[in-house]
Amino acid sequence: MISKKIELFPTLIKEYDLNNDIDPLEITDILWNITPNLNKEYGLSLIDNGLHGLQVGGKSSYKAGRSILKHPKLSNLANIIDQAATDYLQNSDFDIELNDTEIETSWTNIAFKDSKVIMHDHKGSLFSCVYYPLFEKGSANLRFANPIPRELDD
């Protein structure tokens, strides 16, 4: 796993390349194959624009407190993300016990041409992770907003 530290804000942002650790085509295939059974097995289902209302022109399986990464076929991906989370926490200024952390909520979004996810934050989360198994060059543009409010002089 290759990581790169990105110093944008007081909060540590890291980018991880998981392609040497996991096959993105395999993950995509697993996601497509388990999706029809998400509701029955995990209380999740793909809904146009998602329950969160943040997905425009796509589908999302988001449901608070539910984790698609608990699916047995995604255990390898869950372990790799957990390793990245451990690395992140060890290299951050957070003063927490690593064994006290867990992935509480995870989901899949499917974006189509001209789909987007509206800018948002994850209040109450220690950190957030985004994994793009497959995307076309120039798509999946991830943007960050400065979390520190600015006082504007008028």
Side-chain angles (χ1 to χ4, degrees):
M1 173 181 352
I2 301 167
S3 73
K4 175 172 55 173
K5 184 176 180 179
I6 303 170
E7 296 189 34
L8 293 175
F9 311 117
T11 303
L12 174 65
I13 296 174
K14 286 190 86 171
E15 176 183 300
Y16 294 86
D17 181 351
L18 307 180
N19 286 333
N20 292 328
D21 303 290
I22 197 154
D23 179 2
L25 290 172
E26 179 184 339
I27 293 299
T28 301
D29 188 52
I30 291 170
L31 289 169
W32 278 111
N33 287 313
I34 67 172
T35 297
N37 298 315
L38 285 177
N39 191 36
K40 180 174 65 176
E41 296 178 35
Y42 294 89
L44 296 170
S45 57
L46 280 175
I47 298 172
D48 287 343
N49 300 327
L51 286 175
H52 49 56
L54 300 171
Q55 177 90 16
V56 178
K59 294 183 180 286
S60 178
S61 68
Y62 172 81
K63 189 171 185 182
R66 300 295 176 114
S67 182
I68 194 170
L69 287 174
K70 295 200 185 310
H71 194 287
K73 290 185 177 180
L74 294 173
S75 63
N76 190 30
L77 177 60
N79 289 334
I80 290 167
I81 289 174
D82 190 55
Q83 289 171 21
T86 299
D87 174 77
Y88 174 89
L89 291 171
Q90 289 173 336
N91 291 288
S92 71
D93 292 330
F94 292 115
D95 185 23
I96 62 167
E97 293 291 325
L98 293 176
N99 57 351
D100 290 340
T101 62
E102 69 175 296
I103 298 171
E104 183 177 286
T105 305
S106 62
W107 62 95
T108 183
N109 287 342
I110 297 175
F112 305 108
K113 185 176 169 81
D114 298 325
S115 294
K116 67 178 181 178
V117 176
I118 296 169
M119 180 74 84
H120 63 281
D121 60 26
H122 296 165
K123 286 184 169 73
S125 295
L126 180 60
F127 65 92
S128 298
C129 166
V130 178
Y131 171 64
Y132 296 103
L134 294 176
F135 59 94
E136 292 181 21
K137 187 173 181 158
S139 66
N141 297 320
L142 187 59
R143 295 185 178 140
F144 294 93
N146 190 338
I148 300 172
R150 257 192 311 194
E151 302 270 336
L152 298 177
D153 294 325
D154 290 326

